Amino acid sequence: MSIKKIGIGIVGLGTVGSGLIEIIQKNNNSYKSKYNLDFSINGISAKNKKKKRNINIKNYKWFNDPIKMTEFSDIDIIVELVGGSDGLALKLAEKSLINGKYFVTANKALIAKHGIKILDLSIKYNSKFSFEAAVGGGIPIIRLMQNSMIVGKIKSVYGILNGTCNYILTKMRENNLQFNNALKKAQQLGFAEANPEDDINGVDTAYKLAILSNLAFGITTKVSEIFTEGISKIEEIDIKMAEKLGYKIVLLGISNLKNNKVMQRVHPSLVSNNSMISKVNNELNTIIIDDEIADKIMVVGKGAGKKPTSASVMADILNINDENKKKFFVSKSKKANNLSSQDISKREGKFYIRMGVDDKPGVLADITLFFKKQKISIKSMFQLDDKVKNIVPLIFVTHKVTEKKISLVLKKMDALKKIKTKIVLLRIEEL
Ligand SMILES: NC(=O)c1ccc[n+]([C@@H]2O[C@H](COP(=O)([O-])OP(=O)(O)OC[C@H]3O[C@@H](n4cnc5c(N)ncnc54)[C@H](OP(=O)(O)O)[C@@H]3O)[C@@H](O)[C@H]2O)c1
């Protein structure tokens, strides 16, 4: 069998882009003999040509305008490793597909926002696109969902989708660190970006969840419509109390199907110490797919980082000839498959509630009266000794109750002058 020559254009030479170049430089000979594919990097581009880089790029053709790569006949595959949901990334996707190039990206923001548009273009122009690294970094979750989880009906897909948050929560638990110190440590080790906003506030997880929901249920959702809460409200006291109660706190993205409705949510969650998910620590990610026939499938791996992420990008490139690949996305509107979105108010589950109150007689009775009035049954209650400025932490764990009911009662409680701190509400997930 003859060896097929394939030209690659790489836009973005940062963490992932430089990792990809290293992989190609190191492994191309073995790809030739194993897969009969001979890759050559026929174009590169980044923001600053003069920037000092830790890879040798002087033998590659530099494009000041990366869009010009999409018109270059020696390039078959355009790899976008810049980031951002619009701008250059979107333009590259459109131009690549229109010009018949295979488009590969690691960009979750782009795919979560414009995945369907890009899919439609790829169908119209008979070209292809892949985005394995956009969810779960080094975990081959997209291919697993496209090619294997296609037999039965998926009931839910959920997991720890952000390594930065998982690392921070692990260090708060293991090393008794406060949130800010754990974040600093994550930044020092390169797990968190200089601006970690999207990680910490859950938006990064919401991007990935939107993509997984589309693959699992064929629905398209605006990321801004996904209920999203981050981890910055978690304090040492919550980590310790969770442990005492037999739980760990993790940031989860959860998408599940019930009665033809899909509920998507991102929030810190208490998961049992006995659950598999609670064993996934540090910067690791995990995704669990609950399928009506196959049952639960769990994958674990590094969700970010130069080597794992660029390995996923390379896997996309190596699959260029895989013509049997199932559709990446289900390009159906919500109505076409009879599914609609369900908001979080319908969630029913247990809750962990923390508040700081005046250390005075009668306060506890006042607060429990609020729960009683709404018929919310309390499973356990703790009044902790660590008083600060006469404010005592109170913790309640409820029995199962709807989100609607609990939000109503907390709204009313918020007005109570005896409650001196913000009320922290965490959800307990029985997964
Ligand atoms: N890092 C990870 O672990 C990881 C994991 C999963 C997915 N991803 C995704 O992979 C993509 C790349 O991430 P990264 O971490 O490699 O980013 P990065 O290290 O910040 O690198 C970004 C690259 O894009 C280039 N760039 C920025 N603006 C540009 C412009 N206007 N024109 C041309 N080039 C431009 C930069 O050029 P200069 O070098 O000249 O500044 C840089 O080389 C993102 O979509 C990210 O979400 C990353």
Side-chain angles (χ1 to χ4, degrees), residues 31 50 72 78 93 98 112 133 136 155-156 164 177 199 218 226-227 255 304 321 326 333 343 378 424:
Y31 298 150
K50 292 193 177 124
F72 193 49
I78 302 283
I98 289 170
K155 295 189 285 183
S156 61
T164 305
L177 292 184
D199 291 328
I226 296 178
F227 176 87
S255 179
N321 284 337
K326 301 283 171 292
S333 70
D343 74 77
I378 300 297
V424 172

Side-chain angles (χ1 to χ4, degrees), residues 12-29:
L13 303 171
T15 307
V16 188
S18 62
L20 178 64
I21 290 181
E22 279 171 9
I23 289 181
I24 296 170
Q25 288 173 342
K26 230 183 192 168
N27 297 287
N28 197 44
N29 278 336

Side-chain angles (χ1 to χ4, degrees), residues 12-17 46-48 51 53 81-83 88 106-108 133 303-305 309:
L13 303 171
T15 307
V16 188
K47 201 157 141 187
N48 180 0
K51 191 169 176 175
R53 305 187 188 272
L81 299 168
V82 174
L88 176 61
N107 187 336
K108 63 219 123 189
T309 310

Side-chain angles (χ1 to χ4, degrees), residues 149-387:
M149 304 306 295
I150 52 173
V151 179
K153 202 167 164 183
I154 292 175
K155 295 189 285 183
S156 61
V157 57
Y158 55 92
I160 298 173
L161 303 171
N162 185 277
T164 305
C165 289
N166 208 33
Y167 181 84
I168 290 172
L169 292 170
T170 305
K171 290 302 157 208
M172 286 177 79
R173 187 168 56 239
E174 288 178 353
N175 300 358
N176 299 322
L177 292 184
Q178 285 182 350
F179 175 82
N180 283 334
N181 294 337
L183 170 60
K184 248 181 235 154
K185 198 161 180 192
Q187 284 171 321
Q188 279 160 7
L189 292 172
F191 296 140
E193 292 179 25
N195 179 4
E197 266 311 289
D198 275 4
D199 291 328
I200 303 306
N201 64 21
V203 171
D204 177 82
T205 298
Y207 282 137
K208 294 165 183 169
L209 190 68
I211 297 172
L212 292 176
S213 295
N214 192 291
L215 290 163
F217 308 119
I219 62 157
T220 47
T221 327
K222 276 191 185 156
V223 169
S224 58
E225 286 169 8
I226 296 178
F227 176 87
T228 305
E229 265 181 20
I231 62 164
S232 53
K233 65 180 175 183
I234 309 287
E235 293 184 11
E236 248 184 303
I237 184 174
D238 303 313
I239 302 274
K240 283 195 179 131
M241 274 310 297
E243 251 183 335
K244 199 168 159 180
L245 293 161
Y247 296 105
K248 274 184 187 163
I249 301 178
V250 291
L251 180 71
L252 289 185
I254 304 173
S255 179
N256 66 296
L257 175 67
K258 205 175 169 189
N259 302 329
N260 279 342
K261 288 189 189 278
V262 179
M263 187 191 289
Q264 296 179 75
R265 52 204 168 90
V266 173
H267 52 72
S269 313
L270 276 72
V271 295
S272 164
N273 267 331
N274 299 323
S275 63
M276 292 281 285
I277 209 164
S278 75
K279 316 286 182 242
V280 179
N281 290 318
N282 292 312
E283 76 274 27
L284 289 179
N285 282 20
T286 183
I287 298 140
I288 293 137
I289 307 155
D290 192 358
D291 177 272
E292 64 171 3
I293 302 175
D295 216 326
K296 284 185 182 171
I297 309 282
M298 177 171 178
V299 284
V300 181
K302 289 197 172 162
K306 179 171 157 176
K307 284 187 178 175
T309 310
S310 47
S312 276
V313 174
M314 193 64 219
D316 275 344
I317 294 172
L318 287 166
N319 273 289
I320 186 170
N321 284 337
D322 182 2
E323 299 299 344
N324 290 325
K325 204 186 280 176
K326 301 283 171 292
K327 288 265 162 71
F328 300 105
F329 262 128
V330 185
S331 177
K332 285 179 190 163
S333 70
K334 288 180 197 173
K335 284 200 181 86
N337 58 16
N338 286 325
L339 298 181
S340 56
S341 294
Q342 172 90 282
D343 74 77
I344 194 168
S345 66
K346 295 282 187 316
R347 174 192 178 267
E348 198 176 22
K350 295 176 185 167
F351 292 87
Y352 164 103
I353 301 160
R354 170 172 61 82
M355 61 189 78
V357 299
D358 263 343
D359 188 17
K360 282 187 186 150
V363 174
L364 188 57
D366 286 354
I367 289 166
T368 46
L369 193 63
F370 274 88
F371 290 122
K372 198 176 160 195
K373 274 188 188 159
Q374 287 296 324
K375 295 195 175 71
I376 293 172
S377 133
I378 300 297
K379 187 171 179 247
S380 41
M381 198 281 296
F382 303 85
Q383 179 169 348
L384 304 187
D385 286 336
D386 25 3
K387 197 170 18 174

Side-chain angles (χ1 to χ4, degrees), residues 47-147:
K47 201 157 141 187
N48 180 0
K49 191 177 177 181
K50 292 193 177 124
K51 191 169 176 175
K52 219 173 160 226
R53 305 187 188 272
N54 51 12
I55 41 163
N56 183 2
I57 53 165
K58 65 175 191 300
N59 293 332
Y60 304 133
K61 184 178 166 64
W62 179 276
F63 284 74
N64 284 326
D65 177 4
I67 299 296
K68 287 267 180 268
M69 274 192 204
T70 69
E71 296 158 12
F72 193 49
S73 61
D74 280 353
I75 290 179
D76 305 291
I77 305 176
I78 302 283
V79 189
E80 181 273 311
L81 299 168
V82 174
S85 62
D86 297 272
L88 176 61
L90 179 62
K91 206 165 169 201
L92 263 177
E94 291 170 341
K95 290 283 183 192
S96 300
L97 296 171
I98 289 170
N99 291 331
K101 311 288 182 196
Y102 176 22
F103 179 70
V104 174
T105 182
N107 187 336
K108 63 219 123 189
L110 173 75
I111 299 299
K113 189 165 177 191
H114 298 296
I116 298 298
K117 187 176 172 184
I118 298 173
L119 170 67
D120 288 342
L121 269 180
S122 75
I123 294 168
K124 186 171 172 191
Y125 291 95
N126 199 23
S127 37
K128 293 196 291 182
F129 84 109
S130 305
F131 51 95
E132 182 60 74
V135 180
I139 304 174
I141 181 66
I142 305 294
R143 211 156 274 117
L144 178 74
M145 292 191 74
Q146 286 164 0
N147 294 350

